[in-house]
Structures are given as structure tokens and as C-alpha cells.
Amino acid sequence: MSLFKGSPYRRQDLEAGGGRRSGGFDDDDDAGEASSGPFDIGSTKHIPIERLRRWRQAALVLNASRRFRYTLDLKKEEDRKQTIRKIRAHAQVIRAAYLFKEAGDQANGTPLSLPIPSGDYGIGQDVLASMTRDHDTNALQQYNGVKGLSELLKTNLEKGIHGDDDDLIRRKNIFGSNTYPRKKGRSFWMFLWEAWQDLTLIILMVAAVASLALGIKTEGIKEGWYDGGSIAFAVILVIVVTAISDYRQSLQFQSLNDEKRNIHMEVIRGGRRVEVSIFDIVVGDVVPLNIGNQVPADGILILGHSLSIDESSMTGESKIVHKDSRAPFLMAGCKVADGSGTMLVTSVGINTEWGLLMASISEDTGEETPLQVRLNGVATFIGIVGLLVALAVLVVLLARYFTGHTENSEETKKFIRGKTSVSDAVDGAIKIVTVAVTIVVVAVPEGLPLAVTLTLAYSMRKMMADKALVRRLSACETMGSSTTICSDKTGTLTLNQMTVVEAYAGGRKIKPPDKGSLLSSMLSSLLIEGIAQNTTGSVFIPESGGDVEVSGSPTEKAILNWGIKIGMDFEAVRSGSSILYVFPFNSEKKRGGVAVQLPDSQVHVHWKGAAEIVLASCTRYINENDNVVPMTEDKVIFFKKAIEDMAASSLRCVAIAYRSYEIEKVPTDEEQLAQWVLPEDDLVLLAIVGIKDPCRPGVREAVQLCQKAGVKVRMVTGDNLQTAKAIALECGILGSDADATEPNLIEGKSFRALSESQRQEIADKISVMGRSSPNDKLLLVQALKRKGHVVAVTGDGTNDAPALHEADIGLAMGIQGTEVAKESSDIIILDDNFASVVKVVRWGRSVYANIQKFIQFQLTVNVAALIINVVAAVSSGNVPLNAVQLLWVNLIMDTLGALALATEPPTDHLMHRPPVGRRVFNQLMEPLITNIMWRNLLIQALYQVSVLLVLNFRGRSILNLEHKTLPAASKEKNTVIFNAFVLCQIFNEFNARKPDEVNVFKGVTTNRLFMGIVGITLALQIVIIEFLGKFTSTVRLNWPLWIVCAVIGFISWPLAAIGKLIPVPKTPLGEFFTRKFRRKQDSQNS
């Protein structure tokens, strides 16, 4: 959850009211944005609330509750923050009161009450919850500490609970499950109610009721209800279809949110580490905690090594709290900032403060996306034009009507002063108002911004199948604009299936590397001790026999497996000495260490890490005769050469070393021990191993696909530069050895040492960065963003959080990624595979392309419908498309059109065009409506307007209707216009699928939803014309006229194909007019 005040390990999300934008580029960007239009938002990732409020106020909106449904609810956000503050304050007051009471009890010597048994267990949930919540160390001591508590909960502190089904059910029944009640999502009726809120639809309903009343009064109930009833039915149909579409979207978002909450964690059950959902954790579970993990429930520390917890999510304070035996209480929802340890779970779900907090706030899934904001700008502009047109039509029609210039189908005046009854005059005026309001309904594309949400919801669901879980809506579309991807090596470009394939020990190469008999006894003993003790992994040997189970990170597993092969008994070594202090692996120092005390009181300090770094700290090594001898210069050269050879073979090189230490120098006080700096000099080298991690199949093709698409792939890894180079050549990130020179290939410390301007200068050229720290990754991201790149970054570690947060799109790894990394990310790659990252790029581009298709389709309908009705109204006082017909057109154009075009799957063609990119200084990003789209829509709109206006004014003679009476001919002509107009839209829907390709039918049969919607639209149109004439003021058409309508629609296909041969200028149309305006201004100024 990203609901709370941030810490150094937590990103400050948009949902938390935005955060400080780091880096000079962002500050410049903000300055630029402040002076730009309200809809000109390049990124919404760290945007201030005020900017969000600004674009909402600028938008022309008919139905605010629907338009802003999937944007952040600014009022609810404030209310939620207030609720969180109240709950935190309440919890702190209770804790303070308890401490006051405890101090009083101690002064009076009041004894602690004994625990109340609960079922099969020696302690109840209420006692556990209050002890943990109040951080009551006295109560914990009364129960003999964590060991006594574990006995009451029937838990073995080393092996955990039994973990069989009966045990888990019993614990859940007595202590509760690790879930909390969530507020129900909105029902279908709520969506139906929201769809009613549209101002224009309300006006139409009022007009329908008035028309109904007047019709029944003048013509009787049998005939008089048709006009008003048909408008009311059309409005209800629009509302119901809108509500169904919106409700289905909300269900998709709900299921995706449930997936986001389902964190997987390791627990120890029956002596083995097993991965379970956070919702399946029970009281009594023993949970290993490592850096970046989320604390899954309230609990008590069993054993910790330099364990520091980020409690900002619960306290609101950006303070890292050290945990040890004096401060052993852990709160659910917090993050492990540093170190490692194990905890005993004492409270779960609603019995924790986190559970109470989560149950009391509703999660707002709303969030702006840049495209959504830009589309609101487009919708506002079109809406204003539509309103002006509707107003003009209203004024012209009313003026013509009341001055006696409007004639009915018998060519007699509709209004004659002094002769026309009041009810007839009012009825005529209502029909005019209805037409004008319906023009507003068609003109204001209320569904345009919602089409983004529709296509995003569709894409997010499909991306789940492609192993990508989207955490932030905007990341979907931003990924399509990415110009560079900074990727990790291990597990993303490689398989993360590591094995030791080469080893150097005893001053020589060991062949084969896993033959323990080649190692001398002292070397073997020390090496096995270092492998077993200096690890966060574990080895489980089933009592019933079977394969040994090794858990931990891939590197840890590879070294533990190698240790087993050379004769390591993991449990025996671990129990044979005690750990004094642990220095967890640090990505800055590239090594981790441990101090252990042997039974004879000797202290050994073991180190393991990047081979060349550990080697630099070694002054001695153990030779093949089991003697500790000085590290001569020849031996240093030998080992360095070994590291280079292994790295050149794309092996990860890890060195293992140790030193002895005087027990007298080891701090005895727990506080001093926590501050102890583990000695890292004068080490004795034990071994250097080369670990093979093969490239993922298909990664080379995925990298090439990115390069063709104009997306540069950069490898940023903590590994040796030579290893990075070898893998980069294998993956195709580097084309050849000739490319492997600075600055294409650079070491983290070299990049770090450059000035800001120098970093910015060479950032574009960097393809591989080796031995990089998380801060180097952050500096690279900032430099690339300043150059105008849209940067995607992959990361898995806690220290990657700043870079993931800073990047335009942060991609966390689902398997190896820590919770902190995932929380700082925008998308989680569930299979850690680079090919899945490329699929995300495809889907991102698909989102943008689909929205452009929908805009082209909708604007064509808008332009044609408005021009036809305006010209007809001004010239004759009548409109060929009435209110009911326009509402049906609106339904095709808005909801059904969005469903058909916004759900087009991505094609390979999308990866053959350059990315859209972002606004850089004075250069404009690609406009939403491109020149190609303007060409296509203007050709189609002009064709439709020309043909239908000719039919409107000359249709009677062209369609050979002169032999019919004027009213009958006029009705049939208008029916042909309406039918031809709708068929034009159905045919044009195919054209909109491929705005820049001649073959618009490519892949059409694979999109069943598109084919289904086109089929349904056509079937309903036939039903409307043939059977619902009374409602729509149409008549049945004979076959020749149906063929005429079909031919008019069909011509749009060859016309579109010919139109695509017309070249368009590269300069966007908007920029062309802007330049002309600037030149005019400049000439006036001069």
C-alpha cells in the first residue's frame, strides 16, 4: 500500500498527494508545465494535487461522476488521510495510556495476571493482541519471553508449526485469519444511477415527458405517445448500455487489485521453508525476514541480525527503528529496511493495527493517466464547438419556426401567428430544443476519456496473461512511449538458474569444481563453515529421505549446493558454532559478512562477495599443503587472471574469505554489538568460484525487437564489467567487441565520478554499466530523463527503489523482487523475464494506437453529424437526423465504438515505428490527432457530408420518389439518409482499425469482440429500420434502397485506400498554425 508518509524506502505515490520531484530536470519540467495549458500533462507519476484540480476545473463535463470515475477522488483522498491520522493518533494514545498504567503498576507492585487459555493453546487472542499492540515487554518477560510464548502457541522456534490442514484450520478458528473486511465495490445500480447524472440526458428526459404529455393530449394515447416514448426509450437504452460497460470495467479493476494485495512470503513449517500467500499466515507461524520484505502480521522477534524496520506506514514518522531483544515487537504492514531475522506471529488480520487501518479506509483505484488528461482537453474543445453549433441550430430553428419559415411535409407553414394553438407551438418548440440538446449529446464526446480506461482495463487483463501485473494505470500507456529500458542482468536477461562451474581454492584451479577430496582438510573445514554460516539461505533434508531442498537467493542456492557436493552438513555446521554478528550483503559494498564463535571460544569472521573486491582485502591464502601463506604479487596476478577468464566466459565471480579475531575485542554489550564494524582487512582467501547463469532463450530476439522499435536496451548490473560485457554480447545489447569501449561500456564508479553535465553528455551512449550501485542506476535514470528520454527501469532489490521511483516506468521483478521494490514500481514482471518487458511495450503502444483509432472514428461521426444537421437546419428549417436517430448514432459512436476499437490486440506493426516520447524543452510531443488521422477523418467526413446533403436536397429525384406524396417521399428520403449514415459508420469502423495501412482487414477475424459489435450494430440497424419505424420516424426500405445505402457505406473502403496514398507533411497541423501565428506576432512586434 502506498497510502502513508514515505520513508527512504517508500515511494511517495500520487495517491499520497504527490511527492517531491527529484532532479533538476523535473523542476524545469514543472516550471514549463506551470505555464502550459491545464491538459498539457506529460507525466502523472509525481504530480501535485493542485495540477490535478486545475485540469478538472478546465474540462467541459456533462456527467462529472462518470467522467472522473477512474481519476483520483481528491475529496475522498483528503478524507482518507484524515482517517489514517485519527487511527494513528488513537493507537498512540492507547499505547501511551498503557505505558502510564504499567508504570503505576510497577510502582504499586501489582502482579501480572496469568494468560487465559484459548482452546488447545495456553494463551488467548485478546492477551496476544494487547501485548503486541501495546509493546508490553513486561508481559512478554512474564511469559518467559518469545520461547515461553512459543510453547503456549505450540510452535517450535526453529522448525515452526506442523502446518498440516487440521493445525491451520484450528489456528484460524481460534486466532482469526490474516484478512480484513473490505468495503464492497459499487453495485450495478450505482453505475446505473451515475449514468443518469448526465445533464443532457436529464434535459432529454424532461423533453420526452413534455412531448409525451402534449402528444397524448393532441393525438390520444394510441398515437400520441410515440414521439415522447421513443426519446425516453432511446435515453434509457443509452443509460443501460453505458452502465453495463462501466460495471464490467469496474469488475476487471477489482480482480486486478485483489491480485496486487496477494503478497507471497516464506514461512517455516515442519522444518522446511515454504512459500504461502500473506492471507494464509496464521498465529504461531515462524517467518524469516530479509531486507525489503513486508512484515506480514504483528509478531515478536525471535532472532535478528542488524534488523532495522521502516515503521513509517504505521507511525507516519520517517524513522528507521532497530529491533533486538529489548525492542522485539514487530507491526504488520512495516518494511524491513536492513538486516535479517525471524519472527513469531502473534496477531493476524483485524487483530492488528494494520488490519484495523485497512478495514477503515476504502481503497481508491482512481488515478489520472496523461492520455486521459489530454483526451479531456480534446473532449472539452470538441464539446465547446458542439455547444456553439447546437446553440446556433437552436436559434436558427426557433427563429424560422416562429417567423413562419418552417414548413411541414405537406409544404404548409408549421406556425401561423394567431392561428397555431399554444400546445402545438409548445410541441414544435420542444422538438426543436430536443434536436439541439441531442446535437450536444453527440457533439460532446463524454466517452472519449473513458475509452482510455476501457482500453487500459482490457490491456491490464491481457497483460496479466503475459506475466505483467500493472500497479499504476498510467504505466500501461507510458510504457508504449518509452525510449530506453535500463535492465538488470541477473534473472531478467538471464535464467537465474545458477550453478558453480569453476572453482579456485588452495592456490590452484579445482577440476572438477565439486570434488571435495581435492581440498585439504583445514581449507575444506573453513570453506564449509563460511558457506553454511555466511548465508541467508537454508538446507532442508526430509526425514523420510528424498531430495535435499535448498532455499535462498539464486546465488546463495548455487553456493550452498556446491557446499553440499564438497561434503557440507549444513545443520551440523550451523549448530557447531554460534553467530555473534551479521553484516548483511550490501549492494554498495558488494559483500556480506558474519562473525561466529566456535566451541573453543575462537572467533572467525567470514566474508563473501564480488571476487575482485574481496580479493583486494586478502593478504594471505591457504595453499594446497594446508598452510596459510602470504599473498604474493604473482598469486594476485594469478587470481585476477582467473577472475577475468571466468568473467569473459560470462560467469559471476564470487570470492569466499575469512580471518580469525580475538574474542576480547568483540563487544559484549548488545548496543555496542549493533554498532560494531565487522573487520574486513587482512583476510585469508579460501576460494573463488565462477557461477554460470545462462541467458534466457529468446532474449536476443526480444532485444533486437526493441532496437527495431527505437527503444534502446541498456544493461545496468552489479556484476563484474567483463561478465556484463560477455552477457551483453550474447544478448545483442552490444553488437561486437568493437562496441565494448568507453563510454558504451562503463563502470559504475567511473560514471559516478563525472560531473552532472558530463553524465548527461555520455548517458545516451552507455549500453552497459558494470559494478554499478543502486545510486549509479538512479544517476543514469536522471541523466537520461534530462536528455528527454522516457525511461523504463527494472529492479528487484530494496536499494533499487529510488531508481524505480524516479523512472517514468518502474518494473519490479515478481519472483526475486522485494516488497519494497514492488511497492516502488509501476508494473511487476511476474516471471522476471525480459521478453515480458517487451510485451509490456507492445501493450503500451497498443493502448495509444487504439485510442487514436477511436478518436479518428468518433471525430468523423461528430464532424459529419454536425455539418449535416447545421446545413439542413439553416437552409430548410428541418433536420434529417432527429433526436432518437442521433441517440442511436451516439451509442454506436460512444460505447459500442469504444468497445470495438479500444480492445484491438497489439500487432507486430506497432513495434516497427518509433516511440512517441515526451515533450523536451521547446519540442512538442507527437499530437494526439496526427496528420494521418486528420487526412483520414476529413476524407471520410467530407464524403459522408457531400453524399448525405445531396440526398437531403435532391434525394426525392435521385431516389425516384417523385411519384409518392410529399410527406411519404420526405420520410423515405430521411430514412435513407439515416440508414446510409449509420452504414457509413459501420464500414468506417473497419477503416479506423488501421489508420496508416491500406489493408484494413488484416487480423480482423481474430478480434471476435470487434466482429461481434459490428454484427450486433448491423442487426440492430436492420431491426430499427424494418420494425421500429414508429419510434425512430423511419419507414421500411425496399431492397433497391437498402443496396443504395450499402453502396454508399461500401465506397468508404476504396476511398480510404486511395486516401492513404496521399502524402502528409511531417510537421503537425497544430504546430503549422502555431508557427504562422508566431510569425504574424513577431512581424507585428517588429
Side-chain angles (χ1 to χ4, degrees), residues 290-358:
N290 289 307
I291 185 167
N293 286 160
Q294 177 172 312
V295 179
D298 282 1
I300 294 164
L301 183 68
I302 299 168
L303 183 68
H305 304 298
S306 312
L307 186 66
S308 297
I309 303 290
D310 169 16
E311 292 186 348
S312 60
S313 59
M314 293 310 301
T315 62
E317 299 296 323
S318 295
K319 194 167 76 174
I320 306 301
V321 182
H322 181 71
K323 294 291 175 182
D324 53 28
S325 58
R326 287 176 299 180
F329 294 101
L330 298 161
M331 290 188 287
C334 300
K335 300 286 186 295
V336 180
D338 202 3
S340 61
T342 50
M343 69 174 275
L344 174 69
V345 174
T346 55
S347 294
V348 292
I350 202 70
N351 296 312
T352 67
E353 238 174 83
W354 175 258
L356 285 170
L357 198 60
M358 291 297 99

Side-chain angles (χ1 to χ4, degrees), residues 643-660:
I643 292 166
E644 283 171 17
D645 290 347
M646 287 192 285
S649 304
S650 71
L651 302 185
R652 169 175 277 192
C653 305
V654 176
I656 301 166
Y658 102 108
R659 64 163 290 172
S660 55

Side-chain angles (χ1 to χ4, degrees), residues 599-617:
D600 60 2
S601 294
Q602 279 191 71
V603 174
H604 286 172
V605 177
H606 289 277
W607 285 97
K608 178 178 71 188
E612 70 273 24
I613 293 173
V614 173
L615 178 64
S617 299

Side-chain angles (χ1 to χ4, degrees), residues 915-967:
V916 175
R918 67 140 64 87
R919 179 187 296 271
V920 192
F921 306 115
N922 294 324
Q923 291 182 344
L924 293 172
M925 66 176 90
E926 181 186 292
L928 207 51
I929 307 171
T930 62
N931 288 359
I932 288 171
M933 290 165 67
W934 278 120
R935 177 196 64 195
N936 296 346
L937 77 87
L938 287 173
I939 287 170
Q940 292 296 327
L942 287 171
Y943 163 68
Q944 290 176 23
V945 167
S946 306
V947 171
L948 299 181
L949 283 179
V950 167
L951 284 176
N952 188 54
F953 296 114
R954 295 283 178 267
R956 199 174 167 200
S957 58
I958 292 170
L959 299 172
N960 198 21
L961 303 173
E962 285 154 325
H963 60 282
K964 295 192 176 185
T965 62
L966 194 62

Side-chain angles (χ1 to χ4, degrees), residues 414-457:
K414 281 187 178 180
F415 180 85
I416 301 168
R417 192 186 295 235
K419 292 185 180 179
T420 306
S421 66
V422 173
S423 62
D424 284 348
V426 170
D427 189 36
I430 284 171
K431 282 178 180 171
I432 290 168
V433 170
T434 303
V435 168
V437 172
T438 311
I439 286 173
V440 176
V441 174
V442 176
V444 180
E446 199 72 355
L448 201 53
L450 281 170
V452 181
T453 317
L454 182 69
T455 190
L456 287 172

Side-chain angles (χ1 to χ4, degrees), residues 18 102 116 272 535 567 606 635 735 1009 1055 1057 1079:
E102 185 186 24
I116 302 161
R272 59 159 41 129
T535 184
H606 289 277
K635 270 298 168 192
L1009 186 61
L1055 192 68
R1079 278 180 201 152

